[in-house]
């Protein structure tokens, strides 16, 4: 292998993820169809099975889904530098657009009509957020234990100033404890 | 020196947000509210406005909000450090997994156990953030801790109406893009305020 195709590979990765970053609104899961079309169907960088694994890994690791996928695909195609170029590609459009936007943002918001528009828009954000709650809850097992855990997190966050980091860490530990307890109980039954 | 410290602080806070958010997107909002509103970098209404702006501009929400907060507090260097901070945990973690234990990670007992606890907690946290947004948008920014009387006194019927309309549209047309809902809400906001003014 000589150096030239490598550089072309980085450039293609960068451009492909630049396109994904520039043309998906809302981020996160809204990106998955486009990532799939580009990386599985067009470039054949990863297989359909890799794609499913990637979503599972992205879901089970912290962070930005778009960055998770870009790093994953980039690494598969061209190692560390591939993952770096893909990640820069997927974040650059947002970065540039928001930098430019925030220059005009204040004068934009001081306009009377814009202020009125945003008083309406905030009401739409409420709906979007409750829709997000409903969608996220589909990823959970809805048995008594998990419902109580979710409700406890809600009450701690809504009624006390408890730090969200500790709520998440605590929930992770409780989840591990519950899994261990279930495992012990199952093996205890098997031993009888 | 103070600039450098503020840049490092931006980096550290967004690194923490990137490191502790599982589920991405809206799952980030509780921690962003905690940190960004807590630090006084944005007010709650500013943050809510920006959620709508972010829905209407391309790219991942996390990058959008990091760039925006960085830009508002420290200009372009701030935007750079905040964005770097929010992306770095994802990047490093996926790199590590890809390199060392790709096959073992997803099926791991402890990973699955931790996730089965974290997922419902995230739902609870996002629900709590949604409640905060509801109080800000429809109840004039009252807090639950101020008592039910104060909360109800801030109630705005026009805003409640807009919320109800958007809710019904989003239920009737489930495939409708959030941007369309935001535009409808904006038009309703202008129309109702102009009528009442």
């Amino acid at each position: 292998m000589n150096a030239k195709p490598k550089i072309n590979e980085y450039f293609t990765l960068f451009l492909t993820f630049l396109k994904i970053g520039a043309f998906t609104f809302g981020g996160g899961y809204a990106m998955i169809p486009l990532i799939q079309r580009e990386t599985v169907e067009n470039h054949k960088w990863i297989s359909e099975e890799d794609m499913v694994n990637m979503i599972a890994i992205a879901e089970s690791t912290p962070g930005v889904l778009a960055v998770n996928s870009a790093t994953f695909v980039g690494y598969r195609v061209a190692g560390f530098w591939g993952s770096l170029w893909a990640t820069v590609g997927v974040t650059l459009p947002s970065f540039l657009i928001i930098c430019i936007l925030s220059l005009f943002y204040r004068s934009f918001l001081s306009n009377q009509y814009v202020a009125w528009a945003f008083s309406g828009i905030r009401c739409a954000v409420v709906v979007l957020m409750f829709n997000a709650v409903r969608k996220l809850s589909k990823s959970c097992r809805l048995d008594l234990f998990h419902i109580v855990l979710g409700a406890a997190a809600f009450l701690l966050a809504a009624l006390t100033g408890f730090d969200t980091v500790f709520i998440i860490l605590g929930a992770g530990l409780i989840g591990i404890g519950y899994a261990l307890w279930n495992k012990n109980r199952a093996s205890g039954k098997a031993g009888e | 020196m103070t600039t450098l410290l503020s840049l490092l602080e931006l980096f550290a806070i967004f690194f923490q947000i990137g490191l502790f958010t599982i589920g991405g997107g809206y799952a980030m909002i509780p921690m962003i509210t905690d940190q960004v509103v807590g630090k006084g970098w944005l007010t709650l209404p500013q943050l809510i406005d920006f959620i709508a702006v972010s829905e209407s501009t391309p790219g991942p929400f996390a990058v959008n909000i990091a760039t925006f907060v960085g830009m508002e507090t420290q200009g372009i260097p701030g935007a750079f450090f905040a964005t770097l901070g929010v992306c770095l945990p994802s990047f490093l973690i996926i790199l590590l997994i890809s390199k060392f234990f790709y096959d073992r990670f997803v099926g791991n007992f402890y990973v699955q156990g931790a996730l089965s606890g974290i997922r419902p907690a995230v739902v609870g946290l996002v629900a709590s953030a949604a409640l905060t947004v509801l109080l800000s948008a429809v109840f004039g920014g009252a807090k639950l801790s101020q008592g039910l009387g104060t909360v109800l006194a801030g109630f705005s019927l026009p805003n409640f109406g807009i919320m109800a309309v958007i809710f019904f549209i989003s239920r009737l047309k489930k495939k409708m893009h959030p941007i369309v809902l935001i535009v409808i809400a904006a038009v309703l906001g202008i129309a109702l305020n102009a009528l009442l003014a």
Side-chain angles (χ1 to χ4, degrees):
Chain A
M1 276 225 291
N2 58 17
K4 204 152 182 257
K6 247 329 197 205
I7 288 175
N8 278 340
E9 237 162 34
Y10 297 153
F11 192 62
T12 317
L13 272 169
F14 173 75
L15 276 187
T16 306
F17 277 93
L18 191 77
K19 191 159 103 187
I20 294 172
F23 289 104
T24 38
F25 287 79
Y29 292 97
M31 286 193 159
I32 288 183
L34 194 59
I35 293 177
Q36 199 236 12
R37 198 164 66 212
E38 289 292 332
T39 64
V40 181
E41 287 160 26
N42 289 357
H43 291 283
K44 301 192 169 46
W45 280 327
I46 60 172
S47 68
E48 199 66 65
E49 198 194 329
D50 282 330
M51 184 77 200
V52 175
N53 281 341
M54 185 193 82
I55 295 171
I57 290 178
E59 274 179 346
S60 41
T61 51
V64 192
L65 187 89
V67 175
N68 288 347
S69 342
T71 309
F72 181 89
V73 176
Y75 189 83
R76 275 284 162 117
V77 177
F80 173 80
W81 293 105
S83 64
L84 189 68
W85 278 111
T87 302
V88 171
V90 87
T91 45
L92 201 59
S94 301
F95 184 78
L96 294 179
I97 290 168
I98 300 295
C99 273
I100 294 167
L101 190 93
S102 72
L103 294 177
F104 307 105
Y105 196 65
R106 279 181 197 282
S107 56
F108 177 67
L109 278 185
S110 62
N111 177 290
Q112 170 83 79
Y113 292 97
V114 174
W116 284 348
F118 269 99
S119 80
I121 287 171
R122 279 178 214 148
C123 306
V125 174
V126 177
V127 176
L128 294 178
M129 289 198 65
F130 279 108
N131 285 345
V133 171
R134 216 186 46 244
K135 274 182 213 151
L136 285 169
S137 70
K138 285 182 185 155
S139 71
C140 310
R141 259 179 294 164
L142 289 176
D143 54 20
L144 184 66
F145 172 76
H146 292 98
I147 291 172
V148 169
L149 195 56
F154 170 77
L155 291 174
L156 271 179
L159 299 177
T160 70
F162 220 74
D163 198 324
T164 37
V165 173
F166 292 117
I167 298 179
I168 288 170
L169 285 177
L173 289 176
I174 293 172
I176 291 174
Y178 183 68
L180 283 172
W181 181 70
N182 264 339
K183 197 178 171 188
N184 282 340
R185 211 176 44 163
S187 64
K189 270 186 189 154
E192 274 166 18
Chain B
M1 192 62 200
T2 43
T3 324
L4 190 64
L5 275 180
S6 334
L7 288 178
L8 282 178
E9 192 186 19
L10 267 172
F11 175 81
I13 295 285
F14 276 95
F15 190 87
Q16 189 195 326
I17 292 172
L19 188 61
F20 284 99
T21 323
I22 294 190
Y26 280 77
M28 279 196 163
I29 293 176
M31 198 167 297
I32 289 176
T33 314
D34 239 26
Q35 298 290 349
V36 170
V37 178
K39 290 265 171 215
W41 285 336
L42 293 181
T43 64
L44 186 64
Q46 279 177 320
L47 180 67
I48 301 170
D49 292 351
F50 190 75
I51 295 173
V53 171
S54 179
E55 281 283 1
S56 324
T57 54
F61 175 71
V63 175
N64 289 345
I65 184 87
T67 307
F68 182 71
V69 173
M71 195 74 186
E72 287 286 290
T73 51
Q74 296 287 324
I76 290 175
F80 179 78
F81 275 93
T83 305
L84 188 67
V86 87
C87 293
L88 209 54
S90 306
F91 184 73
L92 295 177
I93 290 168
I94 297 295
L95 214 56
L96 222 67
I97 291 175
S98 302
K99 213 171 160 78
F100 299 111
F101 31 73
Y102 172 58
D103 297 321
R104 277 177 290 157
F105 183 79
V106 180
N108 182 282
F109 176 78
Y110 294 95
V111 171
Q112 287 307 320
L115 281 175
S116 79
I118 289 174
R119 283 200 196 107
V122 167
V123 176
L125 291 177
V126 178
S128 158
L131 179 69
T132 314
V133 174
L134 172 72
L135 290 173
S136 171
V138 182
F139 293 90
K143 292 194 176 72
L144 278 186
S145 54
Q146 292 169 314
L148 208 58
T150 320
V151 172
L152 290 178
F155 180 75
S156 152
L157 188 62
N159 287 356
F160 179 80
I162 296 175
M163 190 182 75
V165 169
I166 298 297
F167 173 76
F168 283 117
I169 296 175
S170 82
R171 297 270 65 201
L172 285 175
K173 294 229 174 248
K174 288 185 184 161
K175 293 274 171 203
M176 187 170 268
H177 201 283
I179 297 175
V180 183
L181 296 175
I182 289 171
V183 170
I184 297 173
V187 172
L188 288 174
I190 294 173
L192 279 181
N193 279 293
L195 274 176
L196 295 173

